Amino acid sequence: MNKPRLYSGMQPSADSLQIGNYIGALLSWKALQQTHDAYFSIVDLHALTVAQDPVKLRENTRRTAAQYIASGIDPSAATLYVQSHVAAHAQLAWVLNTITGFGEASRMTQFKDKSAKQGSDGTTVGLFAYPILMAADILLYDTVVVPVGEDQRQHVELTRDIAARFNSRFGDTFVIPEADIQKETAKIFDLQNPTAKMSKSAESHAGVIWLLDEPSVTAKKIMRAVTDADGGVVFDRENKPGVTNLLTIYSTMAERSIQSLEDEYAGRGYGDLKKGLAEVVTGTFGPIRARVLELLGDPAELDRLLAHNADRAAGVANVTLARAFDRVGL
Ligand code: ADP
Ligand code: NA
């Protein structure tokens, strides 16, 4: 039986991933690679939509690949590749640009947010076209399932609209994909600002747990996490966002229920909870970090593996691209 096709990706936008990327994406990808024919991309073309240092971008792309692998993405079970290594992404994106309405693309809320922050001179046409490149990413693999965060729902909707429009105008060409929206319980917040999503691109790194931080740095950040004056270890997103965030991280990383953690730490205060959490996080990330350093120690082998995976991805993508080119008369 053929496994359903799945596609997801992450930008190589920092030299380390953060714990939200691990819990919200990598942990579920690791499970999904067993049940799906999974394509996991490092989307460097997407990263280019904001200014990048060329040397750092190339290095961060390798580092991101190493972190995927060290976190359990198996490059022989899943196809793990760098987006720019498969030329079909940019080629199909161009065709899709020509059937996407300017008004339709202008309604993307992520573009509105990002461009508002960057001003009209800092906002590139590439940033505007980002969701259409993402549509190409997904459609090239005849993807059925797209696991993403809530913030990407609108982009997957756009992908579906573009695919359906293409199919009705030019004949059946693309599979219409479905978004598989990340569970609310997999969302991690900034340790210093526990109502804001933890992010690689956060302005301050004080509340970000990096996968590649030294264990002592991670422990310090957890011990300094913002909590509240109440003292009770209770899961309450509304009134105790800091403690609730710590319990969420603990529960997913240790594979324990929130209830069992509340019971264990009842009456013991936040210091003990944080100490326990720091042990769990460093216990998981320690070996991952060691494996990342090992992989980065042999860049030629890592590059060989990525090239091999890109060939595999291109084998699928080029078939879809040829079909689409043929349909539009190219
Ligand atoms: P970042 O904000 O760290 O740059 P991205 O927006 O590039 O992360 O998202 C990459 C992947 O990681 C997506 O699948 C996204 O849903 C997931 N992700 C990012 N931040 C978090 C978070 N704080 N909690 C849960 N999942 C997250
Ligand atoms: Na980001």
Side-chain angles (χ1 to χ4, degrees), residues 8-14 16-26 28-29 43 68 110 114 130 147-152 182-190 196-202 208 210 245:
S8 203
M10 252 191 263
Q11 292 190 47
S13 47
S16 174
L17 298 177
Q18 43 92 5
I19 197 168
N21 304 134
Y22 179 79
I23 291 173
L26 290 170
S28 68
W29 292 4
V43 292
Y68 279 20
Q110 193 173 75
K114 286 190 179 172
Y130 182 117
V148 284
E150 179 61 41
D151 57 340
Q152 295 296 317
Q182 178 185 98
K183 292 192 292 285
E184 193 52 32
T185 50
K187 188 163 175 189
I188 306 304
F189 297 86
D190 191 286
K197 187 183 94 114
M198 191 184 287
S199 174
K200 278 190 247 99
S201 37
V208 179
W210 300 100
N245 190 38

Short mmCIF file of all heavy atoms in Angstrom, two decimals, residues 8-14 16-26 28-29 43 68 110 114 130 147-152 182-190 196-202 208 210 245, ligand 1:
data_model
loop_
_atom_site.label_atom_id
_atom_site.label_comp_id
_atom_site.label_asym_id
_atom_site.label_seq_id
_atom_site.Cartn_x
_atom_site.Cartn_y
_atom_site.Cartn_z
N SER A 8 6.45 19.16 4.51
CA SER A 8 6.58 20.29 5.43
C SER A 8 8.00 20.83 5.35
O SER A 8 8.89 20.17 4.80
CB SER A 8 6.22 19.88 6.86
OG SER A 8 5.84 21.02 7.61
N GLY A 9 8.22 22.01 5.90
CA GLY A 9 9.55 22.59 5.83
C GLY A 9 9.77 23.64 6.90
O GLY A 9 8.83 24.03 7.60
N MET A 10 11.01 24.05 7.02
CA MET A 10 11.38 25.11 7.96
C MET A 10 12.45 25.97 7.32
O MET A 10 13.27 25.47 6.55
CB MET A 10 11.97 24.50 9.23
CG MET A 10 11.06 24.59 10.43
SD MET A 10 11.94 24.15 11.92
CE MET A 10 11.50 22.44 12.09
N GLN A 11 12.45 27.23 7.70
CA GLN A 11 13.48 28.14 7.17
C GLN A 11 14.78 27.99 7.94
O GLN A 11 14.75 27.87 9.16
CB GLN A 11 13.04 29.58 7.31
CG GLN A 11 11.87 29.95 6.44
CD GLN A 11 11.66 31.45 6.46
OE1 GLN A 11 12.60 32.23 6.32
NE2 GLN A 11 10.41 31.84 6.66
N PRO A 12 15.92 28.06 7.23
CA PRO A 12 17.22 28.08 7.92
C PRO A 12 17.53 29.51 8.35
O PRO A 12 18.50 30.10 7.90
CB PRO A 12 18.19 27.58 6.84
CG PRO A 12 17.56 28.06 5.56
CD PRO A 12 16.06 28.04 5.77
N SER A 13 16.67 30.06 9.23
CA SER A 13 16.76 31.49 9.52
C SER A 13 17.56 31.80 10.78
O SER A 13 17.62 32.94 11.20
CB SER A 13 15.36 32.10 9.58
OG SER A 13 14.51 31.31 10.38
N ALA A 14 18.17 30.78 11.40
CA ALA A 14 19.03 31.03 12.57
C ALA A 14 20.04 29.90 12.66
O ALA A 14 19.89 28.87 11.99
CB ALA A 14 18.20 31.09 13.85
N SER A 16 20.56 28.04 15.17
CA SER A 16 19.99 26.93 15.93
C SER A 16 18.48 26.98 15.83
O SER A 16 17.90 28.05 15.69
CB SER A 16 20.39 27.03 17.41
OG SER A 16 19.73 26.03 18.17
N LEU A 17 17.83 25.83 15.90
CA LEU A 17 16.39 25.80 16.07
C LEU A 17 16.08 26.07 17.53
O LEU A 17 16.96 25.97 18.39
CB LEU A 17 15.83 24.44 15.63
CG LEU A 17 16.07 24.09 14.16
CD1 LEU A 17 15.53 22.69 13.85
CD2 LEU A 17 15.40 25.12 13.25
N GLN A 18 14.83 26.41 17.81
CA GLN A 18 14.42 26.63 19.20
C GLN A 18 13.45 25.51 19.60
O GLN A 18 12.96 24.77 18.75
CB GLN A 18 13.85 28.04 19.38
CG GLN A 18 12.89 28.54 18.29
CD GLN A 18 11.44 28.27 18.55
OE1 GLN A 18 11.09 27.77 19.62
NE2 GLN A 18 10.58 28.57 17.59
N ILE A 19 13.20 25.43 20.90
CA ILE A 19 12.44 24.28 21.41
C ILE A 19 11.01 24.21 20.84
O ILE A 19 10.44 23.12 20.73
CB ILE A 19 12.43 24.28 22.97
CG1 ILE A 19 12.02 22.92 23.52
CG2 ILE A 19 11.55 25.39 23.53
CD1 ILE A 19 12.27 22.74 25.02
N GLY A 20 10.45 25.36 20.43
CA GLY A 20 9.12 25.36 19.79
C GLY A 20 9.17 24.63 18.45
O GLY A 20 8.24 23.90 18.09
N ASN A 21 10.24 24.81 17.70
CA ASN A 21 10.41 24.09 16.43
C ASN A 21 10.51 22.58 16.68
O ASN A 21 9.99 21.77 15.92
CB ASN A 21 11.68 24.52 15.68
CG ASN A 21 11.77 26.00 15.40
OD1 ASN A 21 12.81 26.61 15.63
ND2 ASN A 21 10.70 26.60 14.93
N TYR A 22 11.18 22.24 17.77
CA TYR A 22 11.35 20.82 18.11
C TYR A 22 10.01 20.20 18.51
O TYR A 22 9.61 19.17 17.96
CB TYR A 22 12.38 20.69 19.25
CG TYR A 22 12.61 19.27 19.69
CD1 TYR A 22 13.42 18.41 18.95
CD2 TYR A 22 12.01 18.77 20.83
CE1 TYR A 22 13.62 17.10 19.34
CE2 TYR A 22 12.21 17.45 21.24
CZ TYR A 22 13.01 16.63 20.48
OH TYR A 22 13.20 15.32 20.87
N ILE A 23 9.30 20.86 19.44
CA ILE A 23 8.04 20.30 19.94
C ILE A 23 6.92 20.43 18.91
O ILE A 23 6.15 19.50 18.67
CB ILE A 23 7.65 20.97 21.28
CG1 ILE A 23 8.63 20.53 22.37
CG2 ILE A 23 6.21 20.65 21.66
CD1 ILE A 23 8.45 21.25 23.70
N GLY A 24 6.83 21.60 18.29
CA GLY A 24 5.73 21.87 17.37
C GLY A 24 5.89 21.22 16.00
O GLY A 24 4.91 20.92 15.33
N ALA A 25 7.13 21.00 15.58
CA ALA A 25 7.33 20.44 14.25
C ALA A 25 8.10 19.11 14.29
O ALA A 25 7.55 18.06 13.95
CB ALA A 25 8.06 21.45 13.36
N LEU A 26 9.34 19.12 14.73
CA LEU A 26 10.19 17.93 14.58
C LEU A 26 9.63 16.68 15.27
O LEU A 26 9.68 15.58 14.71
CB LEU A 26 11.61 18.23 15.07
CG LEU A 26 12.40 19.18 14.15
CD1 LEU A 26 13.70 19.62 14.81
CD2 LEU A 26 12.68 18.51 12.81
N SER A 28 6.54 15.87 15.83
CA SER A 28 5.43 15.26 15.08
C SER A 28 5.92 14.74 13.72
O SER A 28 5.46 13.69 13.26
CB SER A 28 4.26 16.23 14.93
OG SER A 28 4.60 17.30 14.10
N TRP A 29 6.89 15.40 13.12
CA TRP A 29 7.45 14.89 11.86
C TRP A 29 8.05 13.50 12.05
O TRP A 29 7.95 12.63 11.19
CB TRP A 29 8.55 15.81 11.34
CG TRP A 29 8.09 17.16 10.88
CD1 TRP A 29 6.81 17.68 10.95
CD2 TRP A 29 8.90 18.19 10.30
NE1 TRP A 29 6.81 18.95 10.44
CE2 TRP A 29 8.07 19.29 10.04
CE3 TRP A 29 10.26 18.28 9.99
CZ2 TRP A 29 8.56 20.47 9.48
CZ3 TRP A 29 10.73 19.45 9.41
CH2 TRP A 29 9.88 20.53 9.16
N VAL A 43 13.87 25.29 3.73
CA VAL A 43 13.41 26.19 2.68
C VAL A 43 14.26 27.46 2.61
O VAL A 43 13.88 28.53 3.07
CB VAL A 43 11.88 26.47 2.78
CG1 VAL A 43 11.12 25.19 2.46
CG2 VAL A 43 11.45 26.98 4.14
N TYR A 68 17.64 18.51 12.01
CA TYR A 68 16.56 17.61 11.62
C TYR A 68 16.99 16.16 11.90
O TYR A 68 16.26 15.38 12.51
CB TYR A 68 16.28 17.68 10.11
CG TYR A 68 15.42 18.82 9.57
CD1 TYR A 68 15.20 20.00 10.26
CD2 TYR A 68 14.82 18.68 8.31
CE1 TYR A 68 14.42 21.02 9.70
CE2 TYR A 68 14.05 19.69 7.75
CZ TYR A 68 13.86 20.85 8.45
OH TYR A 68 13.10 21.83 7.87
N GLN A 110 -0.08 37.14 6.95
CA GLN A 110 1.32 37.11 7.34
C GLN A 110 2.12 38.16 6.55
O GLN A 110 2.99 38.83 7.11
CB GLN A 110 1.91 35.72 7.13
CG GLN A 110 3.26 35.56 7.81
CD GLN A 110 3.76 34.14 7.75
OE1 GLN A 110 4.21 33.66 6.72
NE2 GLN A 110 3.67 33.44 8.88
N LYS A 114 4.21 41.18 8.25
CA LYS A 114 5.65 41.30 8.02
C LYS A 114 5.99 42.58 7.27
O LYS A 114 6.98 43.23 7.57
CB LYS A 114 6.19 40.08 7.25
CG LYS A 114 6.28 38.82 8.09
CD LYS A 114 7.06 37.73 7.36
CE LYS A 114 7.19 36.47 8.21
NZ LYS A 114 7.78 35.36 7.44
N TYR A 130 5.92 34.91 -1.43
CA TYR A 130 6.26 33.79 -0.53
C TYR A 130 5.18 32.69 -0.53
O TYR A 130 5.49 31.51 -0.72
CB TYR A 130 6.50 34.38 0.86
CG TYR A 130 6.91 33.46 1.97
CD1 TYR A 130 8.14 33.63 2.60
CD2 TYR A 130 6.07 32.45 2.45
CE1 TYR A 130 8.53 32.81 3.66
CE2 TYR A 130 6.46 31.64 3.50
CZ TYR A 130 7.68 31.82 4.10
OH TYR A 130 8.06 31.02 5.13
N PRO A 147 1.43 19.22 7.43
CA PRO A 147 1.39 19.57 8.85
C PRO A 147 2.01 20.95 9.06
O PRO A 147 3.17 21.18 8.71
CB PRO A 147 2.25 18.48 9.52
CG PRO A 147 3.09 17.89 8.44
CD PRO A 147 2.49 18.24 7.11
N VAL A 148 1.22 21.88 9.60
CA VAL A 148 1.68 23.26 9.81
C VAL A 148 1.07 23.85 11.07
O VAL A 148 0.10 23.31 11.62
CB VAL A 148 1.28 24.20 8.63
CG1 VAL A 148 2.15 23.97 7.41
CG2 VAL A 148 -0.20 24.06 8.30
N GLY A 149 1.62 24.95 11.51
CA GLY A 149 1.03 25.71 12.61
C GLY A 149 -0.18 26.49 12.11
O GLY A 149 -0.37 26.68 10.90
N GLU A 150 -1.00 26.94 13.05
CA GLU A 150 -2.21 27.71 12.73
C GLU A 150 -1.89 28.91 11.82
O GLU A 150 -2.67 29.25 10.92
CB GLU A 150 -2.84 28.18 14.06
CG GLU A 150 -4.09 29.02 13.94
CD GLU A 150 -5.25 28.29 13.26
OE1 GLU A 150 -5.47 27.10 13.53
OE2 GLU A 150 -5.93 28.95 12.42
N ASP A 151 -0.71 29.52 12.04
CA ASP A 151 -0.35 30.72 11.26
C ASP A 151 -0.16 30.43 9.77
O ASP A 151 -0.09 31.36 8.97
CB ASP A 151 0.90 31.38 11.86
CG ASP A 151 2.10 30.43 11.92
OD1 ASP A 151 1.90 29.19 11.88
OD2 ASP A 151 3.24 30.92 12.00
N GLN A 152 -0.08 29.15 9.40
CA GLN A 152 0.09 28.80 7.99
C GLN A 152 -1.20 28.32 7.33
O GLN A 152 -1.21 28.00 6.14
CB GLN A 152 1.17 27.71 7.82
CG GLN A 152 2.56 28.14 8.22
CD GLN A 152 3.08 29.26 7.33
OE1 GLN A 152 2.91 29.24 6.12
NE2 GLN A 152 3.70 30.27 7.93
N GLN A 182 -1.35 21.94 13.62
CA GLN A 182 -0.67 21.59 14.87
C GLN A 182 -1.61 21.80 16.08
O GLN A 182 -2.34 22.78 16.15
CB GLN A 182 0.50 22.56 14.96
CG GLN A 182 1.38 22.51 16.14
CD GLN A 182 2.40 23.66 16.04
OE1 GLN A 182 2.21 24.71 16.64
NE2 GLN A 182 3.45 23.47 15.28
N LYS A 183 -1.56 20.86 17.00
CA LYS A 183 -2.37 20.95 18.21
C LYS A 183 -1.99 22.19 19.03
O LYS A 183 -0.82 22.55 19.11
CB LYS A 183 -2.18 19.72 19.10
CG LYS A 183 -2.74 18.44 18.52
CD LYS A 183 -2.79 17.31 19.55
CE LYS A 183 -1.44 16.79 20.00
NZ LYS A 183 -0.71 15.93 19.08
N GLU A 184 -2.97 22.81 19.63
CA GLU A 184 -2.75 23.99 20.50
C GLU A 184 -1.77 23.62 21.63
O GLU A 184 -0.96 24.44 22.05
CB GLU A 184 -4.11 24.43 21.07
CG GLU A 184 -4.13 25.78 21.73
CD GLU A 184 -3.55 26.91 20.88
OE1 GLU A 184 -3.66 26.89 19.63
OE2 GLU A 184 -2.96 27.82 21.48
N THR A 185 -1.80 22.35 22.06
CA THR A 185 -0.93 21.90 23.15
C THR A 185 0.54 21.80 22.72
O THR A 185 1.41 21.63 23.56
CB THR A 185 -1.35 20.49 23.63
OG1 THR A 185 -1.46 19.65 22.48
CG2 THR A 185 -2.65 20.52 24.37
N ALA A 186 0.80 21.92 21.41
CA ALA A 186 2.19 21.85 20.95
C ALA A 186 2.77 23.24 20.76
O ALA A 186 3.87 23.40 20.26
CB ALA A 186 2.26 21.07 19.64
N LYS A 187 2.02 24.27 21.19
CA LYS A 187 2.50 25.64 21.00
C LYS A 187 3.30 26.08 22.24
O LYS A 187 2.82 26.02 23.36
CB LYS A 187 1.32 26.58 20.75
CG LYS A 187 1.76 27.96 20.37
CD LYS A 187 0.62 28.73 19.74
CE LYS A 187 1.03 30.17 19.48
NZ LYS A 187 -0.11 30.99 19.07
N ILE A 188 4.51 26.55 21.98
CA ILE A 188 5.42 26.95 23.06
C ILE A 188 5.60 28.46 23.06
O ILE A 188 5.73 29.08 22.00
CB ILE A 188 6.80 26.25 22.87
CG1 ILE A 188 6.62 24.73 22.75
CG2 ILE A 188 7.75 26.62 24.02
CD1 ILE A 188 5.89 24.07 23.90
N PHE A 189 5.62 29.04 24.26
CA PHE A 189 5.71 30.49 24.39
C PHE A 189 7.09 30.90 24.93
O PHE A 189 7.81 30.09 25.52
CB PHE A 189 4.59 30.99 25.32
CG PHE A 189 3.22 30.72 24.73
CD1 PHE A 189 2.58 29.50 24.93
CD2 PHE A 189 2.60 31.68 23.94
CE1 PHE A 189 1.34 29.24 24.35
CE2 PHE A 189 1.36 31.44 23.36
CZ PHE A 189 0.73 30.22 23.57
N ASP A 190 7.41 32.17 24.72
CA ASP A 190 8.69 32.73 25.15
C ASP A 190 8.77 32.69 26.70
O ASP A 190 7.82 33.05 27.38
CB ASP A 190 8.77 34.17 24.65
CG ASP A 190 10.15 34.77 24.80
OD1 ASP A 190 10.54 35.10 25.94
OD2 ASP A 190 10.84 34.90 23.78
N ALA A 196 3.66 35.43 24.25
CA ALA A 196 4.15 35.53 22.87
C ALA A 196 4.77 34.21 22.45
O ALA A 196 5.51 33.58 23.22
CB ALA A 196 5.19 36.65 22.75
N LYS A 197 4.51 33.78 21.21
CA LYS A 197 5.06 32.53 20.68
C LYS A 197 6.59 32.59 20.70
O LYS A 197 7.18 33.59 20.30
CB LYS A 197 4.56 32.37 19.23
CG LYS A 197 4.91 31.04 18.58
CD LYS A 197 4.44 31.01 17.12
CE LYS A 197 5.54 31.43 16.18
NZ LYS A 197 6.11 30.49 15.26
N MET A 198 7.22 31.53 21.17
CA MET A 198 8.67 31.48 21.08
C MET A 198 9.05 31.42 19.60
O MET A 198 8.40 30.72 18.83
CB MET A 198 9.23 30.26 21.83
CG MET A 198 10.75 30.32 22.00
SD MET A 198 11.44 28.85 22.79
CE MET A 198 10.92 29.03 24.48
N SER A 199 10.10 32.16 19.23
CA SER A 199 10.47 32.21 17.82
C SER A 199 11.97 32.37 17.63
O SER A 199 12.63 33.02 18.43
CB SER A 199 9.74 33.38 17.14
OG SER A 199 10.20 33.53 15.81
N LYS A 200 12.47 31.77 16.55
CA LYS A 200 13.86 31.97 16.14
C LYS A 200 14.15 33.44 15.94
O LYS A 200 15.26 33.89 16.14
CB LYS A 200 14.10 31.29 14.78
CG LYS A 200 14.37 29.82 14.81
CD LYS A 200 14.81 29.38 13.41
CE LYS A 200 13.81 28.46 12.75
NZ LYS A 200 12.91 29.08 11.79
N SER A 201 13.14 34.17 15.46
CA SER A 201 13.39 35.57 15.11
C SER A 201 12.97 36.54 16.22
O SER A 201 12.78 37.72 15.96
CB SER A 201 12.72 35.90 13.78
OG SER A 201 11.49 35.23 13.65
N ALA A 202 12.82 36.04 17.44
CA ALA A 202 12.50 36.92 18.58
C ALA A 202 13.59 37.98 18.73
O ALA A 202 14.77 37.70 18.50
CB ALA A 202 12.38 36.10 19.85
N VAL A 208 14.34 32.36 24.91
CA VAL A 208 14.33 31.34 23.86
C VAL A 208 15.24 30.18 24.25
O VAL A 208 16.42 30.40 24.56
CB VAL A 208 14.79 31.94 22.50
CG1 VAL A 208 14.80 30.87 21.41
CG2 VAL A 208 13.91 33.11 22.10
N TRP A 210 17.34 27.36 22.90
CA TRP A 210 17.90 26.89 21.64
C TRP A 210 18.30 25.43 21.76
O TRP A 210 18.86 25.01 22.78
CB TRP A 210 19.12 27.72 21.25
CG TRP A 210 18.82 29.17 21.08
CD1 TRP A 210 19.06 30.16 21.99
CD2 TRP A 210 18.19 29.81 19.96
NE1 TRP A 210 18.62 31.37 21.50
CE2 TRP A 210 18.09 31.18 20.25
CE3 TRP A 210 17.71 29.34 18.73
CZ2 TRP A 210 17.52 32.10 19.36
CZ3 TRP A 210 17.14 30.26 17.85
CH2 TRP A 210 17.05 31.61 18.17
N ASN A 245 3.15 27.26 30.44
CA ASN A 245 4.13 27.02 29.37
C ASN A 245 5.19 26.01 29.84
O ASN A 245 5.55 25.08 29.11
CB ASN A 245 4.77 28.36 28.98
CG ASN A 245 5.63 28.27 27.72
OD1 ASN A 245 5.30 27.58 26.77
ND2 ASN A 245 6.74 28.99 27.74
P1 ADP B 1 10.30 30.43 14.01
O1 ADP B 1 9.25 31.38 14.47
O2 ADP B 1 11.07 29.81 15.11
O3 ADP B 1 11.18 31.05 12.94
P2 ADP B 1 8.84 29.11 11.92
O4 ADP B 1 7.74 30.12 11.87
O5 ADP B 1 9.86 29.12 10.84
O6 ADP B 1 9.57 29.21 13.34
O7 ADP B 1 8.20 27.67 12.03
C1 ADP B 1 8.88 26.47 11.77
C2 ADP B 1 8.07 25.33 12.34
O8 ADP B 1 8.15 25.33 13.77
C3 ADP B 1 6.57 25.40 12.03
O9 ADP B 1 6.09 24.09 11.82
C4 ADP B 1 5.98 26.01 13.27
O10 ADP B 1 4.63 25.66 13.45
C5 ADP B 1 6.87 25.45 14.36
N1 ADP B 1 6.98 26.39 15.48
C6 ADP B 1 7.69 27.55 15.47
N2 ADP B 1 7.62 28.16 16.66
C7 ADP B 1 6.84 27.38 17.44
C8 ADP B 1 6.39 27.48 18.79
N3 ADP B 1 6.72 28.51 19.56
N4 ADP B 1 5.63 26.49 19.29
C9 ADP B 1 5.29 25.44 18.50
N5 ADP B 1 5.66 25.28 17.23
C10 ADP B 1 6.43 26.24 16.69
#
